Amino acid sequence: MTRNDPRNVPRREAARLVAGKGRYTDDIDAGDVGHIAFVRSPYPHARINRMNCDAARVAPGVIAVITADDLSAVCKPWETRLALLPTHLSPEQIPLARDEACWQGEAVVAIVATTRAQAEDACERVEIDWTELPAIADLDNAAAEDAPPVKSGMRNNLGLDHSINTGDPDAAFRDAATVVEHDFTFSRQTGVTLEPRTILASFDPRIRELVIQHSHQAPHQMREVFSAQLGLPLSAVRVVAPDVGGAFGMKLCAYPDEMAVAAIAVLLGRPVKFCADRLESFVSDNHAREARVRGRLAVDTDGKLLAMDVAVLSGFGAYASHPRGSAGEGLQAVHMIAAPYQLAHYRGRVRGYFQNKVPSGILRAVGQPLACTVTEQLLDLAARKIGLDPADFRRRNYADADDKPARSAAGIVLSQLSLRRCHDRLLALMDYDGLRRRQTELRGEKCYRGIGFAAFIEQTGVGSQLYGPQNVRVSAQEACRLTVEADGRVRCATSVTDQGQGTRTGLLQILAQELGVAPDTIEIVTGDTQVTPLGGGAWASRGIALGGEATLRAARRLKSNVLTIAGSLLQADPASLQLQGGVVCNAAGLAQMSLADIATIVSFRSHLVPLDDIPDLEVVESFAPRNTPYIAANGIQAAHVEVDPELGTIRVLDFWVVDDCGRVINPMLVDEQIRSGVVQGIGAALYEQCIYGADGQLENGSLADYLVPMAGEMPDIRIAHMETPTATTTLGARGVGEAGTVGAAAAIWTAVNDALAPFGATMTEQPFTPEHVLDRLAQADAGDQLRPT
């Protein structure tokens, strides 16, 4: 046994941690859940000189006071590594900070008490002697050669340096008829999920089993993580992620404070619970999107795209998100550039830096909104400069990947696209010509409206080629186990999880239609590693694209088994039989026997089945794309906005989306997924930002100051579809969960800048606050740009 093996924790050591009780943990009622609150660092970077927890230990209701030294007995440190990105090497992490805190909000001490209120009160009694250290918050400061390290022992703050070069961009820029360039600043955001992060951990020391109830997207991933860090066999760890109230990718990583909760359960041998409140969520939930981009675009005399050159600076925060890393945002920002368009020459570089801020991680669409915004805004600037209509300019440059697979200039795999069909449908849906005429009329009345477009590619159904080569233990497959119970009901255990997308409803529809049974006779079980087959869970728009495919394959196999058994009992050719309404019918459509009859015979009177080998009434199928890293979806969005140049305010009047997600299983669920993504994208463009001071302190860490889009501020979002079933799967469905978010912010950028075009002003920083709008108008005036007449 190693030092980190939980079996090495002496009983008396565990008893010492149970503050003021003077008894072993086994004497505590195992059903009495201890509530955890954390003492978090008030500084973005500080040395911990001394801690005094004596007063906290004797506070009312306190069960235990836990520090990093206590948890070192049961939890190993971890270091997030990506095999193909050696520069993305995160500092070593442990559940609670020891000696040094590296961001404002990092957990330092855990208090376990009878109630959450008592735990929070005890936190106030912990005395910590701090020495503030230099804090690196700004990206430029983090990148400086003489920058102090974000954490002691680091050589520098560089966490990623990755480049792409296709064709000869230098020659293309040199020979271009037109070149445009623009700077972009994207502010930090966070997920603001309806349900905050929550974890309930229970460890039974008698049988050495850990059960975790977790608000998370990937229970099988977390089973791997808890097993590895706590030194427990996989068979001794069960993770249950029931209905989760929103996630957006934010609930895909292993958070240090949640790791602490699991470790505390093992250490104390009793159930413990932590639920992040809204205030601490802002300084502990992963952030995302922080980036600065410089982009250039070269165009020929016919309005054809020639080359792009993009440089991205990406902010990682204090540590890389475990186990998937924090590089995804920046990598996607450079690789998804110009994905919907024909482009022969491209140069992209992304550099990511650690900072004394909340770690960054995954947020809905991961870097794709940044790439889409940069691409679409540069296209608009070029169209304006050469005098082409922005809609026509896009249409003549769309990628040709209707039938055979192709690659974008940055290496993105494209196949079976419908960009031109989506484009034409959108112009008709929005009455584009009429909107342009009305825009011109209103400008004569000093009313400034803008129309913006954003064509997009959405990476969906991601397979093993994303994390597998990086040696990250994240399952790429989705799986389905179907069982016909003795009463004829069907039980479906799926690896796909549900965070409000309605995935289970979609799977239910597939099963009911394929098996020929009523939906109310099907039970869907999800989110429990003990009863569901191994799979990745819901992320990267995989739920129906991959989970639905596995379900369809399982349903077809189970149906074949049922009809084979029925054929043997009825002395009929199975091919002449069919399942309808839970009943086996013959070729004439006459009912012969029910599914319950077959299940009863197989379960209890199998001797009546005249087959040497009776097919199973329980089947398991899994699916992951093998010949492509993902399944590409596509579409186009448009926004119609009005800008008040006197107040700097922006009103979104209308929004349209034409999306091609392949076969649509449930139109209502698909449309609402798109709408929710659009709202999230509008929030990014106009409202949401984590504001940090130069000292690394978060200045708006509450919902009173961090603005999110509200229903009254949102326009009608009109949606239409093209349906191009993907040839990658039998089901033909592509993902759709991130489509709205990929393009919405870009459509707002291009629409707002279209509205400001008469002033010669162009927005550069997201979100578009009234102050920023007025600043850009003032700078246009100062640059001798004429006010509109």
Side-chain angles (χ1 to χ4, degrees):
M1 293 188 294
T2 66
R3 177 176 178 271
N4 288 308
D5 192 316
R7 289 172 291 181
N8 280 339
V9 182
R11 289 171 59 87
R12 67 185 63 183
E13 175 65 11
R16 179 190 67 79
L17 296 167
V18 183
K21 304 297 183 184
R23 55 196 175 115
Y24 292 114
T25 55
D26 288 349
D27 296 329
I28 301 174
D29 182 5
D32 185 14
V33 177
H35 293 260
I36 295 177
F38 292 97
V39 178
R40 298 183 182 273
S41 171
Y43 302 105
H45 196 195
R47 182 179 299 112
I48 303 170
N49 300 319
R50 181 183 59 83
M51 290 192 298
N52 186 343
C53 302
D54 292 344
R57 287 192 174 92
V58 297
V62 168
I63 297 166
V65 178
I66 309 292
T67 66
D69 288 338
D70 299 319
L71 293 187
S72 66
V74 294
C75 186
K76 297 182 288 188
W78 62 91
E79 194 171 29
T80 305
R81 294 173 178 265
L82 301 177
L84 300 183
L85 297 169
T87 59
H88 190 54
L89 180 60
S90 177
E92 186 176 85
Q93 262 187 292
I94 52 179
L96 299 174
R98 180 198 290 119
D99 301 328
E100 183 180 6
C102 295
W103 86 84
Q104 175 206 2
E106 184 172 9
V108 180
V109 178
I111 306 289
V112 187
T114 304
T115 67
R116 170 67 181 246
Q118 289 173 327
E120 290 182 350
D121 288 344
C123 286
E124 299 294 328
R125 299 190 179 199
V126 175
E127 298 177 0
I128 303 178
D129 178 37
W130 304 90
T131 297
E132 285 194 69
L133 300 172
I136 302 296
D138 181 75
L139 274 171
D140 285 332
N141 292 338
E145 290 186 6
D146 60 348
V150 165
K151 184 173 183 179
S152 299
M154 294 174 60
R155 290 179 297 175
N156 55 52
N157 298 317
L158 181 67
L160 176 68
D161 192 345
H162 174 75
S163 297
I164 313 164
N165 203 84
T166 302
D168 190 348
D170 289 331
F173 275 100
R174 184 179 61 247
D175 299 335
T178 301
V179 174
V180 294
E181 57 186 46
H182 198 62
D183 292 318
F184 303 81
T185 298
F186 300 93
S187 294
R188 277 189 165 228
Q189 297 172 238
T190 188
V192 198
T193 54
L194 184 65
E195 176 187 69
R197 290 188 299 113
T198 304
I199 179 170
L200 170 64
S202 176
F203 182 73
D204 189 333
R206 298 166 299 179
I207 56 175
R208 306 202 56 74
E209 286 188 355
L210 176 67
V211 179
I212 304 282
Q213 296 270 346
H214 206 182
S215 181
H216 204 277
Q217 295 173 245
H220 283 282
Q221 169 197 293
M222 292 311 300
R223 181 173 178 242
E224 288 272 352
V225 171
F226 290 129
S227 169
Q229 298 309 128
L230 300 174
L232 295 168
L234 278 172
S235 59
V237 180
R238 178 185 182 186
V239 179
V240 182
D243 284 343
V244 174
F248 310 128
M250 190 203 79
K251 295 177 181 176
L252 268 177
C253 80
Y255 285 89
D257 51 14
E258 295 178 355
M259 197 77 75
V261 173
I264 290 169
V266 172
L267 194 64
L268 301 185
R270 64 175 296 156
V272 290
K273 176 183 178 179
F274 166 66
C275 180
D277 66 31
R278 286 298 179 191
L279 294 179
E280 67 184 330
S281 288
F282 278 103
V283 293
S284 62
D285 293 356
N286 278 349
H287 292 178
R289 301 284 197 261
E290 181 180 9
R292 289 217 313 275
V293 183
R294 176 76 169 173
R296 294 194 301 148
L297 171 65
V299 182
D300 71 11
T301 53
D302 296 324
K304 288 288 188 177
L305 306 186
L306 294 177
M308 290 187 73
D309 187 350
V310 174
V312 178
L313 285 180
S314 181
F316 288 168
Y319 297 92
S321 175
H322 189 70
R324 300 172 187 239
S326 297
E329 193 87 64
L331 290 173
Q332 290 283 71
V334 293
H335 278 280
M336 293 297 292
I337 287 287
Y341 300 102
Q342 299 178 55
L343 187 72
H345 309 282
Y346 176 62
R347 177 168 51 232
R349 183 185 183 189
V350 56
R351 287 169 293 157
Y353 291 92
F354 292 107
Q355 312 147 283
N356 293 116
K357 290 182 177 178
V358 177
S360 68
I362 294 171
L363 184 62
R364 196 175 192 173
V366 193
Q368 297 176 78
L370 277 61
C372 186
T373 297
V374 171
T375 300
E376 297 300 314
Q377 185 57 69
L378 288 173
L379 260 66
D380 258 26
L381 293 175
R384 192 171 300 136
K385 191 169 182 177
I386 62 180
L388 280 178
D389 178 85
D392 178 60
F393 185 49
R394 284 168 170 79
R395 198 181 193 287
R396 67 176 63 186
N397 282 289
Y398 284 136
D400 290 321
D402 293 338
D403 298 315
K404 59 183 181 180
R407 283 187 180 269
S408 72
I412 298 301
V413 177
L414 308 172
S415 180
Q416 298 177 288
L417 302 184
S418 57
L419 287 164
R420 288 185 176 85
R421 287 185 287 130
C422 289
H423 179 102
D424 295 341
R425 181 74 177 91
L426 179 78
L427 296 190
L429 184 67
M430 64 190 293
D431 184 20
Y432 179 60
D433 292 338
L435 281 178
R436 283 296 184 199
R437 287 194 298 269
R438 182 60 176 156
Q439 179 189 42
T440 301
E441 294 170 2
L442 289 173
R443 282 182 178 175
E445 302 171 13
K446 300 190 182 304
C447 178
Y448 300 99
R449 291 185 175 181
I451 303 164
F453 294 99
F456 66 91
I457 301 294
E458 180 195 4
Q459 288 184 354
T460 81
V462 174
S464 64
Q465 295 181 45
L466 177 62
Y467 290 115
Q470 303 288 0
N471 290 339
V472 176
R473 294 173 70 86
V474 171
S475 176
Q477 70 178 22
E478 295 304 338
C480 174
R481 181 190 300 116
L482 295 181
T483 306
V484 180
E485 306 286 4
D487 61 358
R489 296 180 66 85
V490 177
R491 192 168 191 265
C492 169
T494 174
S495 61
V496 175
T497 54
D498 200 323
Q499 297 91 48
Q501 309 97 317
T503 308
R504 288 184 298 182
T505 300
L507 298 182
L508 189 73
Q509 287 181 250
I510 293 169
L511 287 172
Q513 179 174 323
E514 192 62 32
L515 291 176
V517 299
D520 62 0
T521 65
I522 302 171
E523 177 192 7
I524 305 284
V525 180
T526 182
D528 186 340
T529 62
Q530 185 163 288
V531 297
T532 61
L534 177 67
W539 51 273
S541 301
R542 304 167 80 251
I544 295 298
L546 302 190
E549 177 69 10
T551 300
L552 177 66
R553 293 183 179 201
R556 290 186 172 180
R557 187 172 149 204
L558 180 62
K559 181 179 180 180
S560 175
N561 290 356
V562 168
L563 294 181
T564 297
I565 296 169
S568 71
L569 292 170
L570 298 171
Q571 298 297 298
D573 181 1
S576 69
L577 303 176
Q578 54 187 329
L579 267 172
Q580 294 179 349
V583 175
V584 175
C585 300
N586 62 18
L590 299 177
Q592 303 296 298
M593 61 192 312
S594 70
L595 183 59
D597 294 335
I598 295 170
T600 298
I601 291 172
V602 171
S603 298
F604 307 116
R605 291 178 288 161
S606 59
H607 63 282
L608 298 178
V609 182
L611 292 171
D612 292 334
D613 294 311
I614 301 175
D616 292 330
L617 292 186
E618 179 171 274
V619 300
V620 180
E621 288 284 345
S622 63
F623 176 75
R626 296 183 55 83
N627 300 321
T628 181
Y630 39 77
I631 302 170
N634 69 261
I636 185 169
Q637 305 182 21
H640 185 209
V641 304
E642 183 175 305
V643 179
D644 187 327
E646 302 300 325
L647 300 176
T649 55
I650 298 168
R651 187 160 62 102
V652 185
L653 304 172
D654 297 285
F655 206 98
W656 302 267
V657 181
V658 178
D659 180 77
D660 190 340
C661 62
R663 181 182 177 189
V664 176
I665 304 301
N666 185 308
M668 183 178 294
L669 288 176
V670 167
D671 285 358
E672 295 316 309
Q673 276 290 290
I674 292 172
R675 286 193 177 96
S676 71
V678 167
V679 169
Q680 206 159 16
I682 293 174
L686 299 182
Y687 305 109
E688 297 187 52
Q689 60 176 328
C690 297
I691 302 172
Y692 276 87
D695 59 355
Q697 291 281 349
L698 181 64
E699 297 179 347
N700 66 328
S702 76
L703 285 175
D705 301 303
Y706 182 98
L707 302 182
V708 294
M710 306 295 283
E713 298 158 340
M714 292 300 101
D716 285 339
I717 302 169
R718 302 170 200 177
I719 298 169
H721 295 279
M722 296 289 124
E723 287 196 47
T724 308
T726 175
T728 305
T729 67
T730 307
L731 183 64
R734 307 167 193 259
V736 74
E738 297 170 309
T741 309
V742 173
I748 296 295
W749 271 74
T750 53
V752 170
N753 282 327
D754 182 51
L756 295 178
F759 299 87
T762 309
M763 302 297 287
T764 61
E765 184 175 343
Q766 175 181 297
F768 296 167
T769 63
E771 294 82 1
H772 184 43
V773 173
L774 295 175
D775 285 347
R776 296 302 295 171
L777 287 169
Q779 289 172 27
D781 273 347
D784 294 327
Q785 300 289 340
L786 294 177
R787 283 278 181 171
T789 58

